[in-house]
Amino acid sequence: MTRYERRQLRRIERRLETTDPVLARALSGRPTIPRPVHRTSTRVWAALLGIALVAGGATVHLPLAFAGCLLLMTAACLHVTRPRPIPP
């Protein structure tokens, strides 16, 4: 391979890494580490904190209750969109 071709190949690889890093990792042969976005602990903590904010906000300060409602909606969205195992 000539020097020009190697430079072009490196340029294409860099462009691919910036536009689609997942595909670039898959093509490079490096193992990809799946990172769970919707972990169970995140959903549980969001729901518990939302309930606490709603309860505390209802008694102390109303904007806290509003923040709690938003957090509960976020927890519900995370619960609904969680990855489910594919049955065999």
Side-chain angles (χ1 to χ4, degrees), residues 41-55:
S41 61
T42 305
R43 292 191 312 265
V44 169
W45 280 109
L48 290 175
L49 186 59
I51 291 170
L53 283 175
V54 168

Side-chain angles (χ1 to χ4, degrees), residues 22 27-29 32-33 35 41-42 49 52-53 60 62 66 71 76 81 83 85:
V22 175
L27 293 177
S28 71
T32 58
I33 300 170
R35 300 181 76 193
S41 61
T42 305
L49 186 59
L53 283 175
V60 177
L62 196 57
F66 179 70
L71 194 57
T81 60

Side-chain angles (χ1 to χ4, degrees), residues 6 8-9 19 21 23 37 41 49 52-53 57-58 65 77 84-86 88:
R6 284 192 299 266
Q8 291 290 39
L9 182 59
T19 57
L23 178 62
V37 176
S41 61
L49 186 59
L53 283 175
C77 288
R84 292 179 178 88
I86 300 172

